[in-house]
Amino acid sequence: MKTILLIHGPNLNLLGVRDAHLYGTKTLRDIEALVRETAETLRYEVLAFQSNHEGAIVDFLQKESPKADGIIINPGALTHYSYTLYDALRDTKLPAVEVHLSDINSREAWRRVSITAPACIAQISGKKEAGYVEALELLHKNLR
Ligand code: DQA
């Protein structure tokens, strides 16, 4: 069975409590369950990880990516400034899809910039939790 890494960055442990208008009402657990559910029908295993620390995400990628096949990542605010995460994603050599619950292109100017997206095969933004299902389907097409 192929493995997908599902990674969430800083503050996304607070989903469900954070601004529902922007991020929806689902908790991180709900989103992980939704991805697992979809993944099961496509016969993927999901390894989920969240951290508020950039280095912990890099450690996770370095440890788990050699045994994985694809990545779904919502890097939170790291999206907008983390060259470290860009490098770490590139170094995995795996197809990654960047997901944002909110529409980062219709918010503050600094959010429109994604440092990490060029290390990904696609970016999905503004579709709330449905973006994760789309990301998985994209990865599935890419991995077939
Ligand atoms: C986010 C968008 C980021 O700009 C923000 O820092 C987040 C969440 C999203 O899912 O919409 O923490 O990645």
Side-chain angles (χ1 to χ4, degrees):
M1 214 187 242
K2 289 187 170 141
T3 301
I4 303 294
L5 305 179
L6 173 63
I7 301 172
H8 283 90
N11 298 310
L12 293 164
N13 54 314
L14 294 183
L15 288 177
V17 179
R18 289 181 89 183
D19 191 333
H21 176 70
L22 286 170
Y23 302 122
T25 54
K26 301 277 187 249
T27 64
L28 183 57
R29 285 242 161 135
D30 294 336
I31 288 174
E32 287 174 355
L34 173 70
V35 174
R36 277 185 212 287
E37 217 173 88
T38 316
E40 229 168 76
T41 64
L42 298 171
R43 302 194 50 75
Y44 291 102
E45 191 175 35
V46 175
L47 192 56
F49 181 74
Q50 187 277 332
S51 180
N52 292 327
H53 306 279
E54 182 183 51
I57 297 172
V58 173
D59 288 344
F60 178 80
L61 281 169
Q62 289 183 0
K63 180 162 179 261
E64 301 300 340
S65 64
K67 298 168 267 173
D69 300 283
I71 300 168
I72 298 174
I73 185 161
N74 181 343
L78 291 174
T79 304
H80 315 297
Y81 64 88
S82 181
Y83 295 100
T84 306
L85 188 53
Y86 168 88
D87 280 348
L89 285 167
R90 284 293 300 265
D91 287 346
T92 68
K93 299 186 177 70
L94 293 178
V97 178
E98 178 174 304
V99 177
H100 298 285
L101 292 152
S102 66
D103 178 8
I104 58 170
N105 294 308
S106 67
R107 298 180 64 192
E108 302 94 321
W110 57 267
R111 278 189 215 272
R112 290 178 208 144
V113 178
S114 174
I115 301 299
T116 46
C120 300
I121 58 167
Q123 183 198 64
I124 298 167
S125 167
K127 299 187 173 174
K128 302 249 166 55
E129 63 275 6
Y132 291 87
V133 175
E134 197 176 312
L136 192 56
E137 284 163 355
L138 257 176
L139 277 180
H140 180 56
K141 265 190 210 149
N142 190 274
L143 292 170
R144 263 192 307 198

